[in-house]
């Protein structure tokens, strides 16, 4: 348990990382470093997108599964690592 | 007499209608735009008044100009009925639309009366007149002549069509009249003899009515069946998941069937309870560990994006202009804050996961001995290690098993050996030797895994400065040691006290096993000798090479050529040997103590060496037999010494460890990775044979015809 906490702390401390969020299977944020309203916003939207992406991947080949999802925009990059019950979302500014 | 009365009425009616018919109604006789009524009114009024020519203007009379007054308006007399609708529309079932009727009835009926007169000449009329004549023979009373007249219809000027319609109507009314006449004659007139005239049909209408039951409405309603909305997608993967679940259920039920026979129910219940309690204890955070790991790698990839791109794609284009020389491009630097004070003592790539490598930390300085660490890094995550193990004593060497990449054999400074198991989460080694189980009395300088012995037990060899080469076997969870060889320095038997003959023991510092010949291995010693040994002989060596003047730091067989091996030493030299020949094939002087040397996995003629002055040297014998293709300072600080180097088996990178606990990853430039050029028309031969042939060519040049090698002293240009 401590290991995972450590990992999350390290991720947050990395260069350029703006925010870290853990969202459960229903799209409800469990843990976040942002304010509530933004978190809820991100959580809802990214949850739907991840479900859609996963559905797409699995529909083409049911033995396949989504590993991670990256959305790179002009301002920053949103990375989503889906798990069985949770989603880990990290927002980073890649270019320095 | 009703008939006569009817006649008179009709006659009366004849007159006025006739008169009226003569008078056409005039529409719009006035010249002015006014209602007919009002104009006639005014007209009459004007006649009655005295002949004053003054025209009385009513106050609301229109004021019109002279021109307007003189305007002539034409009026047309038509026979149209002004009150008849002009736009009757009827629904046509054939066309299923409303259609305007083109012909509109212009008849205006002012008066209609249904009479009961029949035409004298019609069938009925004749019949009746016959009957009456029969009756009149008996009765002298007047018989009324059946006078039939057309039904008086006030008729106005109408079109011919109307005339035809009139006739039709007249006929209709005639039959009605006939029926009425018949009925009228039913009650016999008092003057005529009573004669019952039955009707033609002998028809009597009778009707009765049943009792109508009053209608009552009764309704009942049942309870609505409970409805629930359900929606889902049937995707390919949902179907697949459902099948997999079924499969698992079936398998579980099969498994349960087996143990049920053996184990009692109580145990199962306990198991059930245990499972439940474990699940509830599991914290949310642990479940995200996988995702967190992936995420960390992604974040790192973003941060070190340019390095990752270089690693994958960058090929130094300027190598063409460098005249065979190459460079090493620095990529990542791996460090861990707990290892800052420790030196890298061993590096090894994982044979299964090509991006994972293990680093052993310890200290070469015998004055400063502290704890040791075993850390595993992956190139995917340069900022933090994957696994960390700590130990009390410094680690001097490590080796990863080829078939079981989770097992690592480690040799310590205090002479112990241990096996670490990556699959288990423990930070302590799975198996460790101890003083009882025959640990070395001096630091273990090298360990190497061997093939499983005949009982399928894992075993590895270790070499140490106490002169023993020991084989450790993992038997039933314990390390059992077997001394393989004792290195004794030749010709150094001393006369000890009390007449004992002591043999000074050589101190092994490195060894390497032959790739193909299983029993053959080489041992390098502190004295600078290299012994060729066999596992079968425990006290004798097959051969001795007087290799170096100082301790042999590393020996290594060539991965392709079966006879060639390389050795490096603190006496600043690197030597290449053929094990059948006592003198080295090639000698390279690198101007500083050489810490480590390694063959490249992709070519039989490329090797790299690192020196304590922070430089890395890469040689390719195929291109240049005398000089290094690359001399590069790898470590920044001058106080830092490089200790080890390893080539990645797959990617064109090398990792170099130094004394500050840092591991640097460098990419080899294309010049250092050259494959032999194929001649036109010839296929490119690949495979170890090519490499062996390549090296053989070189060796032939070097060897003298009698089999001894020429000593070639080469100095590397610095």
């Amino acid at each position: 348990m401590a290991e995972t906490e450590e990992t999350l702390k390290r991720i947050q401390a990395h260069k350029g990382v703006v925010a870290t969020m853990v969202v459960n299977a229903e799209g409800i944020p469990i843990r976040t470093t942002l304010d509530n309203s933004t978190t809820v916003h991100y959580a809802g939207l990214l949850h739907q997108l991840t479900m859609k992406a996963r559905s797409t991947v699995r529909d083409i080949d049911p033995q396949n599964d989504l590993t991670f999802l990256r959305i790179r925009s002009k301002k920053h990059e949103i990375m989503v690592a889906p798990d069985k019950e949770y989603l880990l979302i990290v927002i980073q500014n890649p270019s320095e | 007499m009703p008939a006569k009365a009817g006649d008179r009425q009709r006659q009366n009616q004849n007159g006025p209608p006739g008169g009226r018919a003569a008078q056409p109604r005039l529409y719009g006789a006035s010249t002015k735009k006014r209602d007919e009524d009002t104009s006639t009114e005014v007209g009459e009024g004007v006649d009655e008044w005295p002949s004053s020519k003054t025209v009385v203007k009513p106050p609301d009379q229109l004021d019109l100009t002279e021109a307007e007054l003189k305007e002539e308006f034409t009026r047309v007399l038509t026979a149209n009925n002004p009150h008849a609708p002009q736009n009757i529309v009827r629904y046509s079932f054939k066309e299923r639309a409303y259609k305007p009727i083109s012909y509109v009835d212009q008849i205006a009926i002012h008066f209609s009366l249904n009479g009961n007169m029949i035409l004298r000449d019609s069938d009925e009329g004749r019949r009746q007149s016959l009957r009456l004549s029969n009756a009149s023979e008996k009765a002298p009373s007047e018989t009324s002549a059946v006078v039939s007249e057309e039904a008086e219809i006030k008729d106005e000027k109408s079109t011919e069509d109307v005339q035809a319609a009139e006739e039709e109507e007249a006929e209709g009314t005639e039959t009605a009249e006939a029926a009425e006449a018949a009925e009228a004659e039913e009650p016999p007139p008092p003057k005529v003899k009573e004669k019952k005239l039955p009707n033609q049909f002998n028809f009597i209408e009778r009707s009765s009515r049943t009792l109508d039951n009053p209608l009552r409405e009764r309704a009942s309603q049942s309870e609505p069946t409970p409805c629930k909305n359900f929606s889902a997608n049937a995707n390919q993967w949902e179907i697949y998941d459902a099948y997999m679940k079924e499969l698992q259920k079936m398998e579980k039920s099969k498994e349960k069937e087996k143990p049920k026979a053996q184990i009692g129910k109580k145990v199962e219940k306990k198991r059930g309870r245990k499972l439940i309690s474990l699940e509830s204890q599991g914290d949310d955070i642990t479940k995200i560990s996988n995702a967190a790991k992936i995420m960390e790698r992604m974040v790192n990839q973003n941060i070190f994006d340019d390095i990752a791109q270089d690693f994958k794609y960058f090929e130094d284009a300027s190598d063409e202009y460098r005249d065979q020389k190459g460079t090493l491009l620095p990529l990542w630097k791996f460090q861990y804050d707990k290892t800052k004070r420790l030196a890298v003592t061993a590096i090894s790539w994982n044979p299964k996961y090509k991006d994972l490598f293990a680093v052993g930390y310890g200290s070469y300085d015998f004055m400063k001995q502290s704890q040791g660490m075993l850390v595993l890094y992956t190139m995917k995550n340069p900022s933090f290690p994957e696994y960390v193990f700590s130990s009390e004593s410094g680690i001097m060497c490590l080796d990863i098993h080829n078939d079981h990449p989770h097992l690592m054999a480690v040799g310590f400074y205090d002479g112990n050996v241990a096996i670490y198991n990556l699959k288990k989460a423990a930070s302590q080694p799975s198996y460790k030797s101890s003083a009882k189980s025959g640990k070395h009395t001096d630091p273990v300088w090298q360990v190497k895994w061997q093939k499983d012995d005949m009982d399928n037990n894992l075993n590895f060899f270790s070499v140490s400065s106490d002169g023993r080469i020991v084989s450790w076997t993992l038997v039933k969870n314990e390390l059992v040691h077997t001394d393989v060889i004792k290195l004794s320095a030749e010709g150094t038997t001393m006369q000890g006290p009390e007449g004992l003959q002591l043999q000074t023991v050589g101190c092994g510092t490195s060894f390497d096993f032959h790739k193909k010949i299983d029993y053959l291995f080489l041992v390098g010693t502190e004295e600078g000798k290299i012994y060729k040994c066999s596992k079968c002989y425990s006290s004798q060596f097959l051969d001795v090479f007087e290799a170096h003047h100082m301790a042999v730091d590393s020996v290594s067989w060539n991965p392709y050529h079966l006879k060639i091996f390389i050795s490096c030493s603190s006496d600043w030299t690197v030597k290449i040997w053929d094990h059948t020949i006592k003198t080295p094939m090639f000698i390279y002087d690198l101007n500083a103590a050489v810490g480590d040397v390694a063959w490249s996995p992709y070519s039989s003629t490329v090797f790299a060496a690192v020196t304590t002055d922070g430089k890395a040297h890469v040689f390719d014998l195929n291109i240049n037999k005398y000089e290094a293709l690359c001399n590069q300072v790898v470590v920044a600080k001058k106080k830092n010494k490089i200790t080890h180097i390893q080539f990645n088996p797959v990617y064109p990178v090398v990792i170099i460890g130094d004394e500050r606990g840092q591991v640097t990853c460098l990419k080899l430039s294309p010049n250092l990775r050259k494959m032999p050029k194929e001649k036109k028309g010839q296929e490119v031969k690949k495979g170890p044979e090519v490499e062996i042939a390549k090296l053989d060519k070189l060796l032939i040049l070097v060897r003298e015809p009698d089999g001894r090698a020429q000593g070639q002293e080469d100095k590397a240009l610095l």
Side-chain angles (χ1 to χ4, degrees), chain B residues 222-228:
Chain B
S222 60
E223 280 276 327
T225 51
C227 275
K228 197 180 170 190

Side-chain angles (χ1 to χ4, degrees), chain B residues 3 74 94 127 157 171 296 301 349 399 427 470 474 506:
Chain B
T74 50
K94 183 178 169 189
R127 244 184 277 150
K157 276 191 190 172
E171 283 185 346
E296 198 183 356
Q301 190 184 30
W349 288 97
D399 192 33
S427 64
V470 180
L474 195 64

Side-chain angles (χ1 to χ4, degrees), chain B residues 514-645:
Chain B
H514 200 274
K515 309 282 186 279
K516 300 280 163 87
I517 306 170
D518 205 24
Y519 58 83
L520 189 63
F521 64 97
L522 298 162
V523 184
T525 62
E526 244 180 61
E527 296 86 38
K529 290 190 189 148
I530 298 178
Y531 297 108
K532 189 164 74 175
C533 317
S534 161
K535 286 185 198 174
C536 317
Y537 299 106
S538 61
S539 54
Q540 267 194 346
F541 316 120
L542 295 175
D543 210 347
V544 180
F545 300 91
E546 301 288 337
H548 294 275
H549 306 290
M550 287 182 72
V552 177
D553 284 326
S554 174
V555 280
S556 175
W557 288 101
N558 188 305
Y560 295 99
H561 205 284
L562 299 169
K563 289 189 183 175
I564 304 294
F565 66 90
I566 195 169
S567 71
C568 75
S569 157
S570 318
D571 69 353
W572 296 7
T573 57
V574 172
K575 295 186 183 177
I576 299 179
W577 309 77
D578 181 333
H579 75 94
T580 52
I581 301 172
K582 287 274 187 168
T583 48
M585 304 271 109
F586 299 93
I587 303 175
Y588 299 98
D589 189 331
L590 296 177
N591 273 354
V594 183
D596 197 8
V597 70
W599 288 105
S600 78
Y602 51 84
S603 167
S604 63
T605 52
V606 176
F607 64 91
V610 283
T611 59
T612 47
D613 61 354
K615 279 196 188 167
H617 308 260
V618 182
F619 291 80
D620 188 345
L621 299 172
N622 209 16
I623 295 172
N624 191 330
K625 288 202 291 286
Y626 310 110
E627 280 177 359
L629 290 185
C630 166
N631 300 310
Q632 187 163 323
V633 178
V634 169
V635 182
K637 295 178 188 175
K638 284 218 166 171
K639 283 185 189 174
N640 209 343
K641 301 176 197 170
I642 307 182
T643 48
H644 283 278
I645 183 169

